[in-house]
Amino acid sequence: MFTGPGGVPVRGLVTLPCPLFTTRAVFTPSAVGGVSVSPPWKRKAARAAGLALGGLAAGGRLELTGEVPPGRGFGSSTSDVLAAVRAVRDALGAPLTAREAARLAVRAETASDALMFEDTTVLFAQREGTVLEDFGHRLPPLRVLGFGTRPGTLGVDTLALPPPDYDATELARFERLRARLREALRTGDAALVGAVATESALLNQRRLPVPALGTLLGVARSCGALGLQVAHSGDLAGLLLAPGTGTGPARTLLRRAGVAECWEFTAGG
């Protein structure tokens, strides 16, 4: 939670973009009112398409394909919603800015990741759809070794979680983290990004505890990771490593800690 407009505290997050999974949307406008969607259970995406239409057209057919795992912290809903609104506006020749897409995404799904901001890093008010701060830089290059923290579960229902409240001490710590992240992005300091992510994970522990967090932090120290990041409303975590760092030792340590599945990707740069 951070100081927003007028000094009012606002919840905000920084998204770690993951290119491993994608959603593709195709929209075909129709003179018939309403939006039909395939697969039919993608109701948030259908709602987003309707919002993107506004008064520009009567309706249409939205088709979604992709493989983003739901309920894990990969941003599956935002991926669907963002693909939908972009497809609608592309079909109508009326593209959206990132900030317009953000507002539509929150209206469609209540809380959104900041996936629409692709050329910069933002502190994003996920339930308001507004940017609390544009840091003006992308993340420095990071090698991420991701994994699930709750094996055998179906993840976390984000919207079923009550929005967290924080005390004055925590609010002050978040503002210090904001300043440190600003400096890390300005200077391209990947190690400082890792330190900010680790402290953020520790702050989140009172709200959505990561099982065996102490063990995972020990793994991070032992393998020389820059830090540990967690999904604040999912079951994912990731070791943040310097580019070019081999992941063999980290995988071995995670396996000993009971982590059976890992995935690698590069973020930032």
Side-chain angles (χ1 to χ4, degrees):
M1 187 171 277
F2 303 88
T3 303
V8 177
V10 181
R11 295 176 184 87
L13 293 173
V14 174
T15 292
L16 176 66
C18 172
L20 293 178
F21 306 105
T22 59
T23 298
R24 176 180 174 82
V26 176
F27 182 75
T28 306
S30 168
V32 179
V35 174
S36 62
V37 62
S38 175
W41 57 271
K42 299 276 190 179
R43 292 186 293 273
K44 292 178 183 178
R47 186 159 59 246
L51 291 170
L53 279 169
L56 298 176
R61 170 77 172 170
L62 177 68
E63 297 181 63
L64 293 164
T65 56
E67 68 287 339
V68 187
R72 303 295 306 276
F74 278 115
S76 59
S77 293
T78 301
S79 185
D80 287 346
V81 163
L82 182 57
V85 298
R86 284 179 171 174
V88 168
R89 288 305 189 94
D90 284 351
L92 301 178
L96 292 160
T97 67
R99 291 178 186 250
E100 290 169 335
R103 288 191 289 270
L104 287 178
V106 167
R107 288 178 63 191
E109 58 168 333
T110 305
S112 170
D113 288 298
L115 296 176
M116 60 289 297
F117 296 94
E118 297 172 312
D119 298 320
T120 188
T121 304
V122 299
L123 179 61
F124 186 66
Q126 70 270 21
R127 289 179 178 264
E128 284 76 22
T130 57
V131 174
L132 298 176
E133 182 171 354
D134 182 350
F135 294 108
H137 303 276
R138 300 185 71 184
L139 290 167
L142 295 165
R143 191 66 180 159
V144 184
L145 182 62
F147 52 93
T149 62
R150 296 176 177 83
T153 70
L154 297 177
V156 175
D157 183 354
T158 299
L159 295 181
L161 295 172
D165 288 316
Y166 300 96
D167 60 31
T169 299
E170 290 171 314
L171 291 175
R173 287 179 67 186
F174 278 130
E175 286 298 340
R176 288 195 293 271
L177 285 181
R178 178 181 187 171
R180 293 178 72 196
L181 182 61
R182 185 186 303 123
E183 177 66 12
L185 295 173
R186 184 186 69 81
T187 60
D189 189 338
L192 185 52
V193 171
V196 169
T198 301
E199 187 171 347
S200 179
L202 290 168
L203 274 167
N204 192 55
Q205 192 69 356
R206 284 211 301 129
R207 301 306 185 282
L208 184 62
V210 173
L213 181 65
T215 299
L216 297 176
L217 291 171
V219 169
R221 288 191 295 270
S222 296
C223 70
L226 303 175
L228 176 75
Q229 63 85 210
V230 302
H232 279 227
S233 61
D235 81 311
L236 301 185
L239 296 172
L240 303 181
L241 306 164
T245 302
T247 59
R251 286 177 176 271
T252 298
L253 290 168
L254 286 173
R255 190 161 51 247
R256 291 173 182 169
V259 175
E261 180 188 16
C262 296
W263 45 84
E264 295 183 38
F265 62 94
T266 299

